[in-house]
Amino acid sequence: MTVRLGANRYGKAETRLVRVVREGPVHHVKDVNVSTSLSGDMEAVHLTGDNAAVLPTDSQKNTVYAFARRHGVGQIEEFALLLARHFVASQPSIHHARVEIEEYGWNRAGPHSFVRDGGEVRTCVVHHDRDGRSTVLSGLKDLVVMNSTGSEFHGYIVDEYTTLQPTTDRILATAVAARWRHTEPDAAPYGTSYAEVRRCLIEAFAGTHSLSLQQTLYTMAERALTACPEVCEVRLAMPNRHHFPVDLSPFGLDNENEVFYAADRPYGLIEGGVLREDAPDAGFAWE
């Protein structure tokens, strides 16, 4: 039997970093989780254990901390690009770098006091190749939204295993995970773009009379693409957080869509992408 080495990468996952910027008595914080993955001329380490081409994952972690001190941490996309380009440029054996960052928000409670934001997490994934191509995916996750009405579900396939009853009035709730791709990574207004895409996703969810979660997903992505010319593709993953009306008839009570059981699993998972017709191919950048 003949075998060969397939696609591979390695790196340091979840380097926790908090950067404090001190402006006199007023402090600013950046709280991020950084994961790096490198690939390239790595055959020898797999086949013979020769580590000559390997930049240790501990060194990758230390680079994150050193760059945070030397360059600061502004927009997470810019910091990820800085790291990815450094790894590829600094070592001839490294042909591709992937950097993923999650950012956790804090609300100010005083000049140097903060309360952790319980909302969504801002994210980004950056890829950089030795050929100089960079791909930037901005995003968010755990954006929990709900419509208490204005959602229907009916007209679906019915087979011998179907027990779900059609409805013209249901709760629609989900935790949105979204990523969007920038056409020009070095010219993208990451901060304002993030705020605008987030606004579009929320407004489209709230303003759509939904006949399916798939329809809502498409409308949300379409709204973001229409409002943000710097974005060429949006991908969404939206678990359907089911809410089932509770049968109160044993207690002599009616229930006209007022009391629900919120089920956490199993759940429907709706995923999809919407892109401009002329959007360039992103290849494996979504991985």
Side-chain angles (χ1 to χ4, degrees), residues 193-206:
S193 181
Y194 178 86
E196 183 67 1
V197 172
R198 181 184 183 277
R199 180 188 67 80
C200 289
L201 295 177
I202 294 173
E203 289 184 358
F205 178 87

Side-chain angles (χ1 to χ4, degrees), residues 36 44 61 68 86 99 127 151 184 218 229 232 245 260 267 287:
T36 57
K61 174 203 69 179
H86 163 77
V99 180
H127 289 264
S151 174
E184 299 292 340
Y218 185 88
C232 61
F260 296 86
Y267 53 85
E287 298 176 2

Side-chain angles (χ1 to χ4, degrees), residues 59-82:
S59 302
Q60 296 175 44
K61 174 203 69 179
N62 292 339
T63 302
V64 171
Y65 292 133
F67 271 45
R69 177 65 183 91
R70 182 175 294 123
H71 303 285
V73 183
Q75 300 298 324
I76 57 174
E77 294 88 348
E78 294 170 352
F79 190 60
L81 272 170
L82 191 69

Side-chain angles (χ1 to χ4, degrees), residues 148 167 169-171 243-262:
S148 58
T167 180
D169 186 8
R170 66 171 182 170
I171 285 179
H243 288 66
F244 299 109
V246 178
D247 180 10
L248 298 178
S249 59
F251 318 115
L253 299 171
D254 62 5
N255 184 14
E256 297 297 327
N257 278 347
E258 293 181 350
V259 180
F260 296 86
Y261 165 65

Side-chain angles (χ1 to χ4, degrees), residues 105-268:
W106 291 85
N107 297 318
R108 184 174 296 282
H112 52 263
S113 301
F114 304 87
V115 178
R116 177 68 179 268
D117 187 346
E120 75 277 2
V121 175
R122 182 174 172 177
T123 67
C124 79
V125 176
V126 164
H127 289 264
H128 182 70
D129 287 319
R130 184 160 290 281
D131 63 7
R133 185 181 67 166
S134 300
T135 304
V136 177
L137 307 175
S138 299
L140 55 82
K141 66 178 184 178
D142 300 329
L143 176 63
V144 180
V145 291
M146 180 176 73
N147 286 333
S148 58
T149 190
S151 174
E152 308 180 28
F153 190 55
H154 50 79
Y156 44 79
I157 294 172
V158 176
D159 67 6
E160 65 268 35
Y161 301 111
T162 300
T163 59
L164 183 70
Q165 296 299 306
T167 180
T168 58
D169 186 8
R170 66 171 182 170
I171 285 179
L172 185 65
T174 186
V176 180
R179 284 182 176 173
W180 51 94
R181 178 161 56 101
H182 297 273
T183 307
E184 299 292 340
D186 288 311
Y190 293 115
T192 56
S193 181
Y194 178 86
E196 183 67 1
V197 172
R198 181 184 183 277
R199 180 188 67 80
C200 289
L201 295 177
I202 294 173
E203 289 184 358
F205 178 87
T208 300
H209 184 96
S210 179
L211 300 179
S212 68
L213 188 51
Q214 287 90 333
Q215 174 205 5
T216 301
L217 178 152
Y218 185 88
T219 304
M220 292 166 67
E222 182 183 38
R223 177 79 65 90
L225 287 170
T226 300
C228 302
E230 71 277 11
V231 174
C232 61
E233 185 173 5
V234 178
R235 294 195 183 186
L236 297 169
M238 299 169 63
N240 196 341
R241 293 192 165 181
H242 301 295
H243 288 66
F244 299 109
V246 178
D247 180 10
L248 298 178
S249 59
F251 318 115
L253 299 171
D254 62 5
N255 184 14
E256 297 297 327
N257 278 347
E258 293 181 350
V259 180
F260 296 86
Y261 165 65
D264 63 345
R265 65 194 66 181
Y267 53 85

